[in-house]
Amino acid sequence: MDQIHIGHGPSTNEVPFHLPSILDTNTFGPLTFKSDGTFQISIFEDLHFGENAWDQWGPQQDINSVKVINKILEAESPELVVLNGDLITGENTFPENSTLYVDQIVGPLVDRGLTWASTYGNHDYDLNISGTTILAREKMWPNSRTTQMVFGEQAGVSNYYLPVYDANCTSESCVPELLLWFFDSKGGFLYQQKDESGDRIGQPNWVDFSVVNWFLQTNSELVNKYNKIIPSLAFVHIPTYASYVFQEDGVDPHTEPGINDDFPLAPQAQGWCADGRNDGSCDYGGQDTPFMQAVSAVPGLMAIFSGHDHGNSWCYKWDKPLPNMTVAPRNDVNLCFSQHSGYGGYGNWERGARQVLATKSKLKNLEVDTWIRLESRNVVGSISLNGTYGQDRYPATNDSMTYCPTCDYTAT
C-alpha cells in the first residue's frame, strides 16, 4: 500500500550493506525435502528498506528490520526464504542506490547459507527502481532462486515456478513432490518514465493475463509430463479481490485467526477502471478476474500467500461462491496473508514472518501447516490448512504492537 515520503538527496553511507561477491561460483542444487519428509518456508513480507535515507530514522528502520530477519531465522530453520514483495520503498530511492538495499536484506540469509525466492510488489516499481533492476542485483548472489519465465511489456518480472524434490533426488530429472509458483502483481510506477506533465506513470496492479495463460499452460504441461497432479503453493504480493469480498463478509478470529486491522483491504486492480483508466474515478476494475479464475480452478493448489495490507494476517478457505462475485471456486484454495516483517512501511503491528511447513505425508491430502513467528519469538496463528480449516476453532491472535527502538521520528 502507498506511503510516500519526500526528501532531498540520499545518505547511503549510514546504512551497512552486505556486499555480494561476483567471484563466488558456488551453486545451490535443486530444492529438496529434508530426510524426515518436511520442507519449511519462511515468508518475509513488506520489508520496505530504503525509506527516508536522508533522515535519522530511515537507516535505523533498516537496521532494525535486519534484526527481525535474524531473530526469525534464529528461531526457525527454513529450507527456503520467500521475500514476498515490497522489498524496497522505491519512491524514496535514487538511481545510484536503489537496488543496493537488496544486499542488506539478504545478508542474514547469505550468512546462514540459505537460498531465497522473491516476488516484487508495488513499491518495488517506481521511477528509479523496477523488478528488472532488483532481479539483476539479486542475481549477483548465487543464493537467489528468483528468475523470470514470462516476458512482455505488461507481464512484470517475478513470474516463475520452483520444483521441490524428494530428499534422495540429486537432479532435476526426478518427479517434483511440490511446486512453488511466484507471481508479479506489479503496481507502482513505470521505470524512468514520465508523462507530458512530468508526472510518474502508473503501472497496472494485477497479475497480467499473459501470466495467467503461462500458468495454466505450464501447469498442464507439468501434469502431462509427470502424469500426476503435483501439490502446489503460490506467492503474490497484492491479494485478490476474493480476499476483499471475504473480509467484507466477516473474518472470524477463531476460525480464521490473525489480525484484521486493514479494513477494507486493498486488492489487485484497486483504483483502476474496467476500461484501463486509473484517473481516480473508479474503485475497482476487475482485471484480476482471470487470475482468480485460474488459481481457483487449478487442481492441487493449496494456498496463496500475500502481503500488501500490513494489518492483516489471516487465512481464508475459498471453497464457495462469495457475495456479488462472478468467480466461483472450482477447487478449494486458501487465501492467506503473511505478517508485516519490516520496520519500513506503515503500521506498528509486531513484526514477524509466516512459516509454512509442507510434510510429504500430508501433501497426499493437500494439507500444509502454517504459523507466524514474531520478532518477540512468540508464535501466533498456528493452523492446519486441511480439509476442515474454516470449521476448526483456534485461539484468537493478539493485536500486539512494536515500535522502532532506535528511530527518532522527530529528527528530520
Side-chain angles (χ1 to χ4, degrees), residues 120-170:
Y120 301 138
N122 50 305
H123 285 277
D124 297 317
Y125 288 96
D126 212 287
L127 186 65
N128 294 325
I129 197 168
S130 70
T132 299
T133 60
I134 296 175
L135 178 60
R137 190 70 188 186
E138 277 199 56
K139 299 313 288 185
M140 295 180 70
W141 295 101
N143 311 58
S144 174
R145 296 182 185 270
T146 311
T147 190
Q148 182 176 7
M149 291 185 177
V150 187
F151 297 85
E153 186 176 348
Q154 300 296 322
V157 175
S158 55
N159 300 294
Y160 59 103
Y161 75 92
L162 295 173
V164 185
Y165 300 99
D166 181 77
N168 296 320
C169 180
T170 57

Side-chain angles (χ1 to χ4, degrees), residues 103-215:
D103 306 340
Q104 192 181 17
I105 292 169
V106 304
L109 284 56
V110 173
D111 289 343
R112 291 169 171 82
L114 294 171
T115 67
W116 69 85
S118 301
T119 71
Y120 301 138
N122 50 305
H123 285 277
D124 297 317
Y125 288 96
D126 212 287
L127 186 65
N128 294 325
I129 197 168
S130 70
T132 299
T133 60
I134 296 175
L135 178 60
R137 190 70 188 186
E138 277 199 56
K139 299 313 288 185
M140 295 180 70
W141 295 101
N143 311 58
S144 174
R145 296 182 185 270
T146 311
T147 190
Q148 182 176 7
M149 291 185 177
V150 187
F151 297 85
E153 186 176 348
Q154 300 296 322
V157 175
S158 55
N159 300 294
Y160 59 103
Y161 75 92
L162 295 173
V164 185
Y165 300 99
D166 181 77
N168 296 320
C169 180
T170 57
S171 72
E172 295 185 1
S173 62
C174 306
V175 178
E177 301 286 336
L178 176 69
L179 294 175
L180 306 176
W181 297 95
F182 300 84
F183 298 104
D184 195 331
S185 51
K186 309 188 309 296
F189 297 88
L190 296 178
Y191 181 63
Q192 294 291 289
Q193 295 185 47
K194 293 184 177 180
D195 62 19
E196 56 188 17
S197 300
D199 296 323
R200 297 173 298 173
I201 301 173
Q203 178 173 230
N205 59 350
W206 58 84
V207 176
D208 189 64
F209 187 60
S210 65
V211 176
V212 174
N213 284 339
W214 163 82
F215 169 53

